[in-house]
Every structure is written in structure tokens, then in C-alpha cells.
Amino acid sequence: MDRDEFRDGVRGGFPIMVAASPFGALFGALAVDNGFTIADAVFMSAMVYAGASQMVGIELFGNNVQPWLVVLSVFAVNFRHVLYSASIARNIRHFTPVQKFFAFFLLIDPQYAESERRAERGLPVSFSWYLGFGLIIYFPWLITTAIGAVFGQLIGDPRVIGIDVLLPIYFLGLVLGFRKRDRFLPVVAASAGASVLAMHFVGSPWHVSIGALAGVLLAACLPLERPASDIPAVEREA
Amino acid sequence: MDAQHLNLIYLIIAAAVATFATRVGGYVLITQLKHIPPRLEAALNAVPAAVLTTLVAPAFVYGGFDVAASMFVAFAAGLRFSTLRMLLIGWIVVMVIRHLVL
């Protein structure tokens, strides 16, 4: 375990922890509202650790939807992680099997995006860094879930305190971080168009998978200008 | 613990297993390949922008004027500043619109 790397990870994960905290509290509040105990809510945050799908899960559970459909919906919302785990493979090949287990368990959107960015900058994606980044988000997620579950009613409407814009803006910042990559504009345009249309015609949560597949397929179909693997990521960044 | 509560615990565990499956699935599939074809590599390079965009675009289009305005200003800020400042600026914009303008 490298202390400097771990601390670097903690520092990198800190703003994400801040941005995610209101949503942890919101999840806790909604969970209690839908018939969960405080312990159930924290248990779900600890086991699933995927905010959007947890919200979908408790919403469906509260509406007495059949259990298999709840699990399928959670799977659908989280389907994008299949792409993350395929894409991150290049950067975590040196992890031991146990380290990989924890790495996949902690593989949320910002964890993936920041790992990619770190590799692109030529910095090592060490397990120490990865764990520091993941744990500074994971444990506060459990704590804020508990706080939300206890004080649920105090939060009220998230729109009044403006926290509903934090996640989309945060993800927008992550998207901008990749703007120097090849095919960035066509990929973003395809995903944006497809996800907006899918939201309207198919509905949430399918807009995520449909939009993502549109962008990824387009990238695969566009003419290959140069073999991507020949150019080191650092050089492209420069 | 009554049966109904036990069912909830099982449901949470099933949801956790389904989530973990998505997080390990892509890795398991991709490591079966000895050589990664260039088109697959291009597709994998597109993953971050493609997926994260789907979490942004619908919020911008369907979120209403206040959300769209806040995201637009945050976008402009994001071209120059860090993510933390983007969040702060976007939050200020949406709070001003909601509490002072409308």
C-alpha cells in the first residue's frame, strides 16, 4: 500500500463525495418513505453501491412491483457498467484477483472516469490510488444514507435547495474531461441524440443503455484514421 | 425478522449480485480475447463520453428552463475551471433563478 498514492486518491475523490452526499441522504429518506428500515437503507447502499439504481429499486419496491422486475430494472440501470469494466481492463491488469474484486465492487461512474483520465495522463492507476478514491466516496455514502433515513422528512423537496442539478453538472464535467479524445464530438452527438429520443419514446432507465450503445457503435463504425494503440495516450493528451 | 422483511433482504442481495455482474461482466468478456481488434478498441475509447453523455443530455432537454440555464453556464465554466467550481457556479445559477427570478 503506497500512502502517497492513497492520499492522492482520497484528494481526487473528495469533490465527488461532496457532490454525492445529498443523493445519499435523498436515497435514505426515500427508502424509509417506501417502507425500508434505517438498517435496510444502509444495507442496500453498502451492498449495491449504485445511486441511480438504488433510487429506481426502492421506487419500484414501494409500488409493490414483482421482485424479479425490480432486480431486472436495477440490472438495466447499471448495464453501462459492463462497458466500464470492459474498458478499464487495460488499466487494472496488474491488480491481484482480490484487488480486482474490490475494484469491480467500487466501479461507479466517477471511479471509472477518473481512472481513465489518470491513465490518459500517463499516471499509474495503482490499487492504492484506486482504493483511496473509492473509499472516500463509499463510506460517506453509507453515512449520508443513514442521516437521510433518520432525518428524511427534514430534507423536503430537493429542488428548493438546488441539489437536483449537481449530478448532471458533475457528469457534464466528466464528459468535458474527455474532449481531447478522437471522435469526441460525433460520439457525444450520437449519445446525446439517442438518449434524448429514447427518454421520450422508450423511457427511463433504458435511455442510458440505448444512448451509450449509439455512441459506442458509431465510434466502432467510423473510419479508422490511425491505429489507436500505436499512439501512447500521453502523446495524444499533449 | 418476519418473512416479508426477509424477502426484502433477499431482494437487496439479488440487486447487489445483478449490479456486481455488470461491473465484472465486461472485464470477463474482454479478457477472453487474445488480441483486441482496432474497431473494438475505438469503441472502448468512446465509452466514457458515450455513457456519461446519456446522464447529461436528457436532464438538459427535459429538466426545464432553470436546469438548462444552470447546465449551460456550468458548461461554459467547465471549459476553463475545475469540476468543483462548475458545481458551485451551476448551483448558484439555479438557486438565483428559483428563488430570485421566478
Side-chain angles (χ1 to χ4, degrees):
Chain A
M1 207 34 103
D2 183 323
R3 275 193 184 189
D4 288 342
E5 289 272 302
F6 187 85
R7 216 172 298 148
D8 218 24
V10 169
R11 217 174 296 135
F14 189 81
I16 291 121
M17 181 268 279
V18 173
S21 290
F23 296 93
L26 185 63
F27 168 74
L30 289 175
V32 169
D33 225 30
N34 279 286
F36 278 43
T37 66
I38 296 165
D40 294 337
V42 175
F43 183 63
M44 188 170 191
S45 278
M47 293 289 288
V48 179
Y49 187 47
S53 74
Q54 289 177 223
M55 307 272 189
V56 171
I58 49 162
E59 179 70 25
L60 295 177
F61 174 81
N63 286 304
N64 293 315
V65 171
Q66 285 161 307
W68 67 270
L69 203 55
V70 177
V71 176
L72 183 68
S73 301
V74 168
F75 184 79
V77 177
N78 288 327
F79 188 76
R80 64 186 187 280
H81 296 109
V82 173
L83 297 172
Y84 294 165
S85 84
S87 172
I88 205 173
R90 303 172 283 188
N91 300 325
I92 62 163
R93 208 155 271 168
H94 55 285
F95 286 12
T96 67
V98 176
Q99 290 176 340
K100 277 178 189 156
F101 176 85
F102 286 109
F104 290 130
F105 180 77
L106 294 170
L107 188 60
I108 56 173
D109 302 274
Q111 184 90 42
Y112 165 69
E114 297 292 350
S115 300
E116 281 278 296
R117 255 155 81 166
R118 195 171 165 84
E120 205 170 61
R121 281 200 298 261
L123 296 169
V125 181
S126 64
F127 185 67
S128 301
W129 173 84
Y130 194 100
L131 198 65
F133 191 98
L135 294 184
I136 190 64
I137 306 171
Y138 181 78
F139 286 114
W141 179 250
L142 307 189
I143 295 165
T144 51
T145 298
I147 293 172
V150 175
F151 299 105
Q153 278 64 32
L154 297 182
I155 296 181
D157 183 1
R159 286 174 50 87
V160 175
I161 48 171
I163 59 173
D164 56 311
V165 296
L166 293 184
L167 267 197
I169 289 176
Y170 172 67
F171 288 125
L172 176 65
L174 287 181
V175 172
L176 285 176
F178 293 98
R179 66 182 182 274
K180 286 183 181 128
R181 280 203 179 179
D182 294 342
R183 308 183 184 84
F184 175 78
L185 281 180
V187 166
V188 165
S191 292
S195 64
V196 166
L197 289 176
M199 180 76 126
H200 183 78
F201 292 107
V202 188
S204 184
W206 303 101
H207 67 286
V208 176
S209 298
I210 293 171
L213 283 178
V216 169
L217 285 178
L218 179 74
C221 294
L222 286 174
L224 294 164
E225 292 159 17
R226 44 191 175 161
S229 48
D230 285 0
I231 308 144
V234 202
E235 220 173 279
R236 262 185 291 162
E237 181 78 347
Chain B
M1 196 179 286
D2 60 83
Q4 206 184 348
H5 195 192
L6 205 58
N7 283 340
L8 172 60
I9 299 297
Y10 288 142
L11 180 64
I12 291 172
I13 292 171
V17 171
T19 301
F20 189 76
T22 65
R23 284 174 176 163
V24 75
Y27 180 87
V28 170
L29 291 177
I30 205 88
T31 46
Q32 302 296 310
L33 300 173
K34 285 214 172 70
H35 171 76
I36 296 179
R39 286 198 184 275
L40 181 57
E41 171 127 24
L44 291 178
N45 274 327
V47 167
V51 181
L52 297 168
T53 297
T54 68
L55 306 175
V56 177
F60 181 78
V61 173
Y62 301 116
F65 169 75
D66 47 358
V67 172
S70 150
M71 289 177 75
F72 185 79
V73 174
F75 167 76
L79 294 174
R80 305 200 43 182
F81 304 126
S82 68
T83 309
L84 208 54
R85 279 204 212 167
M86 268 181 88
L87 285 168
L88 186 64
I89 292 168
W91 179 78
I92 290 171
V93 170
V94 88
M95 289 301 275
V96 166
I97 294 176
R98 279 179 190 164
H99 296 280
L100 300 179
V101 180
L102 296 179

